[in-house]
Structures are given as C-alpha cells and as structure tokens.
Amino acid sequence: MPTVIWEANVRGSSFRYLIKEGFRNIYQNRAISIAAIGVLMACLLLVGISMLFTINVNNMVGYFESQNEIMVFLSDDVVGDELTDIDSEIRSISNVASVTFISREDGLKSWMEELGDDGTLLEWLIEDNPLQNAYRLVVKDLSKMQETIELVGYIDGIDTISASNEVAQAVTGLKQAVSVGGLAVIALLVAVSLSIVSNTIKLTVFNRRKEISIMKYVGATDAFIRLPFLSEGMLLGFISATLAFFMLWGGYIAFGHWVSRSTFYWASLVVGQLVAFKTVALKLYLYFLAAGVGIGALGSVFFVGKYIKV
C-alpha cells in the first residue's frame, strides 16, 4: 500500500509539474503563444460555423420533408370491412410514417372552416356530399416516394392518389447536395486549418531550437524534452478550443437575435427552424477539444522531434 501511495504521489507531482511547465512556457513565449491560439481559434471557428450551417440546413430540409404528404382518395363503394382492409394494408407499408383517415364529412367540414364566413355557401352540400373518404400519409423517406405511391396504387378500392413527387425529388436532391457539400467544405477547412496550425507550431518550436539543443547537450532525455512541449501544445489547444467554442456560442445567439428582428418573411422561417445551440453544444465542444488538443499535442511532439536529433 505505501508503494502505491508513493507512486500516485509521484504521478501527481509529475502531472502538476508538466501543467506548470506548460503555463510557464506559454507565458515566457506569450507573443508566439497568442499567435498560435489566435490561428487555431480562427480555424476552429470556421469549421464550427460550417458545421452549424450544415446542421441547420439539414434541419430545415427535414422540416419540408415532413410536410410532404400523399393524399389517397377511396372509391365511393368502399364501405365496412373493405375500409378496414384498406386501412391495414396502408399501415403495413414500411415507408409510411403516419396515417390519418379523413371521412367525407370531416373533409367537407374542414373545407368550410378554411373558407371562413364564405363556408356557409357550402351548406347545401351537407345532404349530398360529393367528397370522397381519404387518407393523408406522411412518408419516412422522401427518396422512396415514387415506390410508396406505386405500393399504395396496388391496393384495391383506391380511386386516386395525389402527391407531389417532383417536390420530393427536389427536397431529396437538396438534402444530398447539402450533406455532400457540407462535408466537403468542412474537410477542406480542416485540411487548411491543419496546414496553418502546423506551420504556426513549427515556428514556435523553431524559435526555441537553441533551448532544445542545450537541454539535449546537458544530458536531458528525449522524453524529458518532449513532455513540456507536449503539455504546452495541449494547453494551447485547450485554450483555443474553449475560446472558439464560447465565441461560436455567442455569435450564434447574436445571429438568432439579428434574424428575429428582421422584417423579411424568410427571417421568420429561418428563426423557427434554427437548431437550439444547447442541443449541439456538448458535441461541438468535444469536437473542438479533440481537434484543438490533438493538433496542439501532435504538432508540438512532431516538430520538437526534429530538433532533438542533434
């Protein structure tokens, strides 16, 4: 037991030493550290903005996707058990998310309500209702809209089917374009960010090459030289990721307020479909931390290794 406690104390002291060295190095090289933080923070902000844009566009496309429906009108001679069979067959189609039956009476009532005061003009239709019993279907996957329409059409007792397949194809195409385009832009930004940040870290290590050489000549091990740089790089990444995250959060809220005050019609649509930042905050912060700390650590260790070989 005493050995375990001693080892724990040693590990704790070593960890505190590395953190302390990391902060000390950042302070002593504060000019270049601020530059590294600024560059990494700017890169993370660009990637974060792209991610939020993609998430929100996909959310808006998903909203329009949920509004796309299929109206199914039944033949007038469908009654009793036939109606029950049709109901079961429609609900058994795997791509149907929800089914709403609209009787001819409910259809006429809804039509009159939509007309408001003019709806009284249709009262004469109550005794001889010309409307048909119908189903309103919401599909799960718009890309399978045509396939779903065909399956519904095979059911006996169906008179007509009304669906906007062109809109479904347009929404599906837009969704795919946003997904592919968003991933491409994020990948490009990540590549550019890695290039800029690695060069910044390279410059940081280059400015301290003499310090590394002296440590090497006095007998310091490679690990002893690398660890403080590793700690420094991770701290720079942590600070950059945290600052970038809160700046992105504040900017997103400010953007929401700015759009909500706009008098344009599109603004109300955008505000209504904006994803709440809190719902994606944890995931974004973890991405930022992984990217910031990872780039800082790997960049420091990689470029320090070059000057250790003396």
Side-chain angles (χ1 to χ4, degrees), residues 46-159:
L46 287 176
V47 174
I49 290 170
S50 298
M51 291 176 70
L52 282 176
F53 177 76
T54 303
I55 290 171
N56 277 292
V57 170
N58 276 327
N59 187 55
M60 291 178 192
V61 171
Y63 168 75
F64 290 114
E65 196 173 33
S66 66
Q67 302 303 307
N68 207 14
E69 301 172 336
I70 300 175
M71 289 301 300
V72 179
F73 298 95
L74 308 183
S75 301
D76 292 335
D77 56 353
V78 173
V79 291
D81 292 340
E82 290 178 293
L83 192 59
T84 305
D85 292 340
I86 291 173
D87 192 284
S88 301
E89 290 187 64
I90 289 177
R91 292 179 190 277
S92 67
I93 297 174
S94 60
N95 194 40
V96 174
S98 66
V99 180
T100 305
F101 176 71
I102 305 170
S103 67
R104 59 180 63 190
E105 293 78 14
D106 290 340
L108 179 60
K109 184 179 177 182
S110 176
W111 189 13
M112 293 171 69
E113 288 176 352
E114 288 178 5
L115 293 176
D117 294 338
D118 295 334
T120 54
L121 299 173
L122 302 178
E123 288 181 350
W124 65 276
L125 293 176
I126 294 176
E127 296 299 326
D128 188 18
N129 189 343
L131 301 185
Q132 297 169 285
N133 290 326
Y135 280 97
R136 179 186 291 122
L137 314 182
V138 177
V139 298
K140 296 176 183 174
D141 185 354
L142 274 186
S143 64
K144 298 179 180 176
M145 173 70 96
Q146 184 59 38
E147 178 186 332
T148 306
I149 293 172
E150 290 174 359
L151 289 173
V152 173
Y154 292 142
I155 301 174
D156 291 334
I158 302 295
D159 184 38

Side-chain angles (χ1 to χ4, degrees), residues 163-217:
S164 182
N165 197 35
E166 293 76 13
V167 174
Q169 290 178 347
V171 173
T172 302
L174 177 61
K175 188 176 181 180
Q176 290 174 345
V178 169
S179 298
V180 174
L183 286 176
V185 170
I186 291 172
L188 179 64
L189 286 175
V190 168
V192 172
S193 302
L194 283 173
S195 174
I196 295 173
V197 172
S198 62
N199 280 308
T200 304
I201 294 174
K202 186 177 180 179
L203 180 63
T204 305
V205 176
F206 178 78
N207 284 341
R208 295 163 65 185
R209 63 191 185 283
K210 289 183 179 178
E211 179 186 340
I212 297 172
S213 298
I214 292 171
M215 292 173 71
K216 185 69 179 177
Y217 282 125

Side-chain angles (χ1 to χ4, degrees), residues 25-47:
N25 289 336
I26 290 174
Y27 180 75
Q28 287 183 340
N29 304 279
R30 48 190 176 276
I32 197 72
S33 296
I34 291 172
I37 290 172
V39 170
L40 185 52
M41 193 172 67
C43 293
L44 288 173
L45 271 174
L46 287 176
V47 174

